[in-house]
């Protein structure tokens, strides 16, 4: 028998990992766990427990405390108590704790890996070689940010008590993604692990004690969705960081709308895995194994939609089926296993239901003849081909080991198909042509793109989604920003009802000018759909002019025009900067007349200041446009990750009622600088500013549709913008009620919402209303991983 033949027939024997140490740890806790609150184990207030079990055997592992609202309250109190002391520590002191956490995770790596595997069902090979090392890496990396706190984040403060809710697919890794940046930046946390997989979070709690972390800095409350809800609704929680399903993400957005809670959401995905005909097919097939059968496909960024160029589809399918036939499904503690158990019965049923529905919709289902375990929750690696792009299996997250395959002909069609979902978490592109791969990567709506690779993660590279995959990033500098805010922001006073509207100073600088302005849509002055206009008067009652009353239809037209103008984001930064400089020039030329008109509304001095500072702000953002650049990360693999700053897309802007000119420019300019297109609702109290603005725009090189102006009743237009499913984000400046409306109504397409939280910002202060903080919100980071070196 030749070596090749032997290799082909070689049978593996079982190679189980020894679980003894982990089982002893469970026994030391009598297989019954309370909550970890204020540095101690607490019996649940209502005394109820639920079971966590091993999905590969169905056997019970331990009893876990079911958290009630009272438990959450106790944990939040402990976190609040610990907060001042933790914040007072220097960055270096906090860094030492994070470093100790990293070291102790490494020390207990074996125990943690086994616990993860028996609780979740994932192969030990993955928990041992991927999950736990990445957990340690995350704490090391953030120990570094803590160390650099004073140097890198001057003027920022931590948010306070953070509520963190995590899913079951990467239990300890998701904990690390949440806890490490929060602690590094001086926050304290209450974390709720998923009900199916609480064990490693509890083991981590013990590590916190072991390293002497001050009590209350980390609190772990176990339980189900109701425990999660209690955490979301707790009034003293300042921010919620959530990873899980899009549906629950929506519910949390809704539940937190009426509060000042900050929110980051890492939600579902339906990530494309695109293979071009010139790809190295054998590598691509291995990539697919990692893309969709890693962790049984229970991965938010799983390459669950295979898009393969038609010319190689048959060949690829043959290779893929051959490889699928060699996948070993079985006991996850066996080191030679590729596919482990599905986390829970409901998840298994859900996968089965979706696959059957896909087949009913016309897909062809193929599964290899692999040996399946006789007990436990398993699902065969599955290939669904001939899938229609609108089929449920092409659109919905299956979250299981099932791949939905489609074909395409041209790169353009590949991009169209790839972007044809509501999600935008990740993508994988396979081509030996660097031009094709990067050209396609740039056009994909996804927070992470892997070129000739898949499912690579590193703490230095931000991870997070576009569109309904959520907002916010975890990892990288951008991930740190999720947990801090400028010191001045929380001190800014709340806008009191009406106080915002500063129209009509008693002294009118110039005689009132009677004029009628129009809406500005797609680069043209247009009459409002309603046909109505409102009179705009100074406080003294003089008629200043008439302003159109925009409605739903006008907003719809404006959004359409803004969408069409998205090439603005693709022009070079140099070009965008030139346009902004030119706007400054035009504004300066018209400065005197605009000041004169504006004075009638806001007084002579403020009008002059607004015009002067608007010109300065135009210069400032022109300056930033070709300087606010991305980064190149060097993750510990043979890759670089290019962190590209991309525009968020088309953004609705509700401008402040006061400060009509400078308020508009302060919000719209960072967006334009970043390459977004805008539909703005100018100041309700002085909407005539629109006329001055579009005259400046018309005589500039700003492309038609890049900025659209719809005046009218702000409350009404805000609703239309917030509900509009083709807007990517809304920036709303207003009182608390308006900010709550923007958040609550954004749930439809989960657009990004950025508000002033009802606070009065000082638009005349460069520190408050200019610069990086605004740009950070105007861009979203896309990490493109590119293989590098030999
Ligand atoms: P889920 O989104 O319901 O659960 C995630 C976490 O949120 C858990 O800790 C859960 O207890 C908590 N939770 C649930 N409802 C809540 C609420 N109203 N308020 C606060 N917290 C709440 O995910 P589930 O039910 O475990 O899985 C269902 C589907 O969600 C999966 O089939 C998959 O498609 C998707 N999913 C996506 C994940 C991702 O990483 N993108 C992770 C887990 C699930």
């Amino acid at each position: 028998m030749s070596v090749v033949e032997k290799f082909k027939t070689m049978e593996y024997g079982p190679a189980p990992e020894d679980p003894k140490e982990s089982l002893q740890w469970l026994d030391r806790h009598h297989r019954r766990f309370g909550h970890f609150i204020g540095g101690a184990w607490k019996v649940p207030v209502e005394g109820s427990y639920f079971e966590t079990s091993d999905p590969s055997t169905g056997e019970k592992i331990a009893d876990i405390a079911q958290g009630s609202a009272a438990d959450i309250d106790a944990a939040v109190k402990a976190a609040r108590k610990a907060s001042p002391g933790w914040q007072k520590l220097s960055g270096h002191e906090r860094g030492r704790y994070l470093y100790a956490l990293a070291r102790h995770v490494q020390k207990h790596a074996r125990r943690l890996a086994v616990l993860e595997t028996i609780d979740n069902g994932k192969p030990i090979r993955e928990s041992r070689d991927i999950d736990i090392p990445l957990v340690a890496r995350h704490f090391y990396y953030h120990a570094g940010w803590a160390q650099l706190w004073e140097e890198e984040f001057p003027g920022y403060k931590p948010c306070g008590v953070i509520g963190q809710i995590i899913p079951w697919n990467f239990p300890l890794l998701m904990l690390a993604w949440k806890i490490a940046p929060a602690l590094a930046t001086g926050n304290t946390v209450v974390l709720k692990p998923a009900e199916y997989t609480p064990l490693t979070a509890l083991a981590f709690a013990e590590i916190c004690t072991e390293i002497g972390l001050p009590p209350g800095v980390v609190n772990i409350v176990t339980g189900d969705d109701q425990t999660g809800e209690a955490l979301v609704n707790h009034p003293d929680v300042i921010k919620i960081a959530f990873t899980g399903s899009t549906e629950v993400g929506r519910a949390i957005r809704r539940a937190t709308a009426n509060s000042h809670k900050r929110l980051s959401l890492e939600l579902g995905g339906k990530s494309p895995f695109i293979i071009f005909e010139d790809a190295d097919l054998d590598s691509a097939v291995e990539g697919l194994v990692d893309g969709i059968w890693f962790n049984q496909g229970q991965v938010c960024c799983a390459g669950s939609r295979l898009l393969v160029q038609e010319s190689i589809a048959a060949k690829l399918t043959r290779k893929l089926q051959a490889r699928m036939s060699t996948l070993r499904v079985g006991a996850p503690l066996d080191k030679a296993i590729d596919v482990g158990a599905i986390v829970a019965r409901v998840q298994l049923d859900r996968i089965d239901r979706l696959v059957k529905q896909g087949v009913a919709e016309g897909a062809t289902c193929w599964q290899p003849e692999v040996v399946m375990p006789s007990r436990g929750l398993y699902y065969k690696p599955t290939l669904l081909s001939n899938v229609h792009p609108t089929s449920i299996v092409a659109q919905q997250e299956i979250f299981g080991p099932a791949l939905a395959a489609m074909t395409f002909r041209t790169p353009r069609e590949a991009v169209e198909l790839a972007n044809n979902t509501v999600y935008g978490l990740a993508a994988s592109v396979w081509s030996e042509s660097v031009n094709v791969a990067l050209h396609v990567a740039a056009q994909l709506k996804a927070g992470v793109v892997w070129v000739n690779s898949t499912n690579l993660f590193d703490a230095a590279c931000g991870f997070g989604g576009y569109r309904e995959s959520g907002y916010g990033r975890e990892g990288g500098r951008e991930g740190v920003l999720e947990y801090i805010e400028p010191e001045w922001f929380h001190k800014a006073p709340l806008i009191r009802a009406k106080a915002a509207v500063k129209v009509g100073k008693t002294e009118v600088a110039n005689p009132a000018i009677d004029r009628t302005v129009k809406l500005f849509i797609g680069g043209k002055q247009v009459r409002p759909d309603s046909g109505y206009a409102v009179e705009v008067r100074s406080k003294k009652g003089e008629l200043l002019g008439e302003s159109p009353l925009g409605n739903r239809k006008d907003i719809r037209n404006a959004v359409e025009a803004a969408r069409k103008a998205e090439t603005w984001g693709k022009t070079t930064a140099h070009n965008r900067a030139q346009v902004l400089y030119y706007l400054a020039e035009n504004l300066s030329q018209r400065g005197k007349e605009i000041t004169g008109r504006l004075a009638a509304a806001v007084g002579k001095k403020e009008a002059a200041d607004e015009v002067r500072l608007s010109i300065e702000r135009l210069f400032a953002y022109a300056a930033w446009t070709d300087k606010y650049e991305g980064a190149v990360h060097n993750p510990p693999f043979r890759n670089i990750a290019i962190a590209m700053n991309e525009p968020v897309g088309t953004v609705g802007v509700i401008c402040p009622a006061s400060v009509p000119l400078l308020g508009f420019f302060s919000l719209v300019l960072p967006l334009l600088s970043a390459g977004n297109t805008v539909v703005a609702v100018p100041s309700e109290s002085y909407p005539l500013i629109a006329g001055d603005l579009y005259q400046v725009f018309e005589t500039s090189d700003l492309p038609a549709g890049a900025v659209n102006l719809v005046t009218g009743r702000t409350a009404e237009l805000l609703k239309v913008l917030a509900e509009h499913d083709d807007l990517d984000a809304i920036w709303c400046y207003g009182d608390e009620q308006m900010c709550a409306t923007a958040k609550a109504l954004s749930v439809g397409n989960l657009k990004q919402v950025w508000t002033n939280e009802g606070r009065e910002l000082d638009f005349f202060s460069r520190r408050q209303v200019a610069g990086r903080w605004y740009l950070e919100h105007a861009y979203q980071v896309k990490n493109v991983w590119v293989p590098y070196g030999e």
Side-chain angles (χ1 to χ4, degrees):
M1 194 187 259
S2 73
V3 174
V4 175
E5 280 164 342
K6 207 162 191 176
F7 189 74
K8 276 187 185 152
T9 56
M10 194 156 59
E11 275 301 313
Y12 302 75
E17 175 74 38
D18 183 0
K20 197 166 72 224
E21 207 266 330
S22 301
L23 299 181
Q24 282 170 354
W25 178 81
L26 287 165
D27 290 338
R28 274 206 300 283
H29 285 269
H30 310 290
R31 297 197 177 232
R32 194 176 178 83
F33 291 87
H35 306 300
F36 183 71
I37 296 175
W41 295 105
K42 300 278 177 193
V43 172
V45 172
E46 290 179 2
S48 53
Y49 290 80
F50 63 95
E51 288 182 6
T52 188
S53 61
D54 179 344
S56 70
T57 60
E59 281 163 19
K60 173 180 162 181
I61 307 172
D63 286 312
I64 307 294
Q66 166 61 30
S68 61
D71 298 315
I72 289 288
D73 189 50
V76 173
K77 282 204 172 92
R80 279 195 75 178
K81 196 166 159 214
S83 186
W86 186 243
Q87 287 193 21
K88 234 181 266 150
L89 294 184
S90 68
H92 171 67
E93 285 165 318
R94 283 203 299 268
R96 290 176 73 110
Y97 283 111
L98 275 114
Y99 175 75
L101 287 171
R103 295 288 293 141
H104 281 244
V105 164
Q106 284 181 316
K107 188 171 144 195
H108 297 299
R110 185 63 64 97
R111 175 199 296 169
L112 294 168
V114 170
L115 283 175
E116 203 74 303
T117 284
I118 60 175
D119 212 13
N120 167 280
K122 63 172 68 199
I124 186 74
R125 207 159 44 82
E126 293 178 9
S127 43
R128 184 195 60 194
D129 299 345
I130 298 171
D131 291 53
I132 308 304
L134 279 172
V135 170
R137 162 86 183 126
H138 232 76
F139 281 104
Y140 277 123
Y141 176 79
H142 286 91
W145 279 128
Q147 173 67 37
L148 300 175
W149 170 248
E150 289 86 0
E151 270 165 81
E152 286 293 309
F153 301 99
Y156 279 87
K157 66 174 267 304
C159 295
V161 175
I162 315 284
Q164 307 185 312
I165 299 171
I166 56 171
W168 41 259
N169 51 346
F170 294 91
L172 194 62
L173 185 56
M174 290 302 103
L175 173 149
W177 282 21
K178 299 265 178 299
I179 289 187
L183 261 51
T185 47
N187 299 279
T188 57
V189 306
V190 177
L191 177 132
K192 190 200 86 66
E195 47 273 53
Y196 303 130
T197 54
L199 290 181
T200 44
L202 298 166
F204 178 82
E206 203 174 79
I207 290 178
C208 293
T209 306
E210 205 172 278
I211 67 141
L213 192 72
V217 170
V218 167
N219 304 275
I220 310 278
V221 179
T222 47
D224 57 11
D225 52 343
Q226 288 185 9
T227 320
E229 270 182 52
L231 184 54
V232 166
N233 293 327
H234 197 290
D236 293 332
V237 170
I238 306 298
K239 175 193 158 88
I240 294 288
F242 172 78
T243 299
S245 61
T246 295
E247 194 189 323
V248 174
R250 259 197 194 95
I252 293 178
R253 169 71 290 174
R254 215 173 278 119
T256 53
N258 221 347
S259 74
H260 293 300
K261 288 190 175 79
R262 282 180 63 182
L263 186 58
S264 50
L265 300 174
E266 202 268 273
L267 308 175
K270 193 76 202 177
S271 301
F273 192 104
I274 310 169
I275 308 180
F276 286 95
E277 59 189 5
D278 68 344
D280 171 350
L281 291 195
D282 292 323
S283 299
V285 167
E286 281 316 304
L288 268 172
V289 171
D290 286 340
I292 185 67
W293 292 297
F294 169 54
N295 202 20
Q296 296 70 250
Q298 301 167 130
V299 182
C300 50
C301 52
S304 53
R305 271 188 309 145
L306 169 61
L307 308 181
V308 55
Q309 200 153 15
E310 205 174 76
S311 50
I312 50 149
K315 189 172 170 195
L316 181 92
T317 306
R318 278 196 305 277
K319 279 179 182 281
L320 182 58
Q321 290 179 343
R323 180 65 178 93
M324 285 170 75
S325 303
T326 66
L327 289 173
R328 288 167 60 98
V329 182
L333 274 179
D334 187 336
K335 289 172 218 156
I337 281 304
D338 300 303
V339 181
I342 301 296
V343 72
R345 168 64 59 189
V346 296
Q347 187 61 18
L348 188 66
D349 292 345
R350 186 188 141 89
I351 296 166
D352 194 44
R353 195 175 64 245
L354 281 167
V355 168
K356 286 193 174 122
Q357 207 169 329
V359 171
E361 286 174 1
T364 312
C365 178
W366 186 87
Q367 292 175 325
E369 294 294 323
V370 290
V371 182
M372 295 294 282
S374 53
R375 62 171 186 162
L377 307 171
Y378 292 91
Y379 198 83
K380 269 194 181 178
T382 301
L383 174 64
L384 295 162
S385 42
N386 302 319
V387 171
H388 193 273
T390 59
S391 167
I392 191 154
V393 288
Q395 292 294 330
Q396 266 196 29
E397 192 171 39
I398 300 177
F399 228 62
L403 178 65
M406 282 153 273
T407 58
F408 67 87
R409 288 190 179 156
T410 61
R412 194 172 154 178
E413 201 190 337
V415 170
E416 268 170 26
L417 273 174
N419 288 337
N420 181 29
T421 74
V422 295
Y423 297 113
L425 194 52
S428 191
V429 182
W430 295 74
S431 166
E432 287 300 288
S433 158
V434 66
N435 290 8
V436 170
L438 293 182
H439 179 64
V440 167
Q443 295 173 75
L444 294 175
K445 303 267 187 223
V448 184
V449 181
W450 292 289
V451 172
N452 293 334
S453 53
T454 194
N455 272 342
L456 296 172
F457 309 96
D458 183 53
C461 309
F463 183 90
Y466 281 29
R467 307 202 282 195
E468 292 184 32
S469 290
Y471 32 79
R473 292 289 179 268
E474 297 186 287
R477 188 189 170 91
E478 57 270 33
V480 171
L481 297 173
E482 294 293 327
Y483 287 95
I484 57 180
E485 59 185 22
E487 264 166 15
W488 59 262
F489 184 69
H490 82 286
K491 291 186 195 145
L494 287 176
I495 296 177
R496 271 171 284 118
K498 299 228 165 81
V501 185
K502 275 210 257 166
V503 266
K505 292 272 164 71
T506 41
E507 170 203 340
V508 177
N510 273 4
I513 301 155
D514 185 1
R515 61 198 189 113
T516 302
V517 301
K518 300 217 179 83
L519 305 179
F520 186 61
I521 296 176
K524 294 197 185 76
Q525 297 180 30
V526 295
R527 290 180 200 290
D529 170 66
S530 69
Y532 289 113
V534 285
E535 288 185 347
V536 182
R537 291 181 179 274
S538 74
K539 218 172 188 179
K540 274 175 128 187
E542 290 147 325
L543 183 66
L544 300 176
E546 288 197 338
S547 171
L549 210 51
N551 67 11
R552 180 175 291 272
K553 191 150 177 233
D554 299 311
I555 291 281
R556 275 215 306 265
N557 293 339
V559 172
E560 213 178 299
R563 258 297 163 226
K564 280 196 194 134
E566 273 189 343
T567 46
W568 170 246
K570 299 196 174 78
T571 60
T572 64
H574 172 72
N575 282 349
R576 291 204 303 277
Q578 295 304 298
V579 171
L580 296 190
Y581 279 126
Y582 194 31
L583 280 174
E585 205 181 298
N586 287 344
L587 180 61
S588 172
Q589 269 166 20
R590 289 169 186 268
K592 229 168 160 188
E593 47 171 308
I594 295 176
T595 310
R597 280 194 289 268
L598 189 56
V602 299
K604 209 168 165 182
K605 172 160 187 328
E606 180 178 318
D609 284 349
E610 282 202 46
V611 173
R612 182 176 52 79
L613 285 172
S614 293
I615 295 168
E616 189 190 307
R617 223 142 273 181
L618 277 157
F619 263 74
Y621 282 106
W624 272 118
T625 303
D626 54 6
K627 289 166 201 69
Y628 190 85
E629 292 181 310
V632 178
H633 301 300
N634 293 287
F637 309 100
R638 291 185 309 132
N639 288 274
I640 50 167
I642 309 165
M644 295 177 21
N645 285 333
E646 290 197 342
V648 176
T650 297
V651 183
V653 179
I654 300 291
C655 299
S658 58
V659 207
L661 184 74
L662 184 59
F664 170 88
F665 276 123
S666 300
L667 299 183
V668 169
L669 289 179
L671 288 165
L672 284 183
S673 166
N676 298 281
T677 58
V678 170
V679 175
V681 177
S683 156
E684 184 172 7
S685 54
Y686 185 64
L688 296 177
I689 198 67
D692 293 311
L693 287 168
Y694 60 62
Q695 278 177 6
V696 172
F697 294 143
E698 275 173 338
T699 49
S700 77
D701 294 331
L702 194 70
V707 175
N708 305 275
L709 305 171
V710 180
T711 53
R713 301 201 201 292
T714 309
E716 215 174 289
L717 299 179
L718 163 63
K719 273 181 74 175
V720 184
L721 282 172
E723 282 174 341
H724 200 299
D725 278 344
D726 202 27
L727 268 188
D728 298 296
I730 182 163
W731 285 20
C732 171
Y733 186 95
D735 59 22
E736 285 182 290
Q737 182 55 51
M738 285 170 66
C739 296
T741 303
K743 292 177 197 170
L745 298 184
S746 70
V747 292
N749 70 340
L750 276 172
K751 60 178 67 63
Q752 298 184 19
V753 190
W754 195 39
T755 77
N756 57 323
E757 297 295 342
R759 296 185 192 284
E760 179 113 53
L761 305 194
D762 178 2
F763 284 92
F764 298 90
S765 148
R766 198 183 301 144
R767 187 176 68 119
Q768 284 198 13
V769 196
R772 278 190 179 275
W773 199 44
Y774 291 81
L775 289 163
E776 277 151 12
H777 289 86
Y779 283 102
Q780 55 192 347
V781 181
K782 173 194 269 183
N783 269 285
V784 181
W785 292 64
V786 185
Y788 182 76
E790 281 293 295

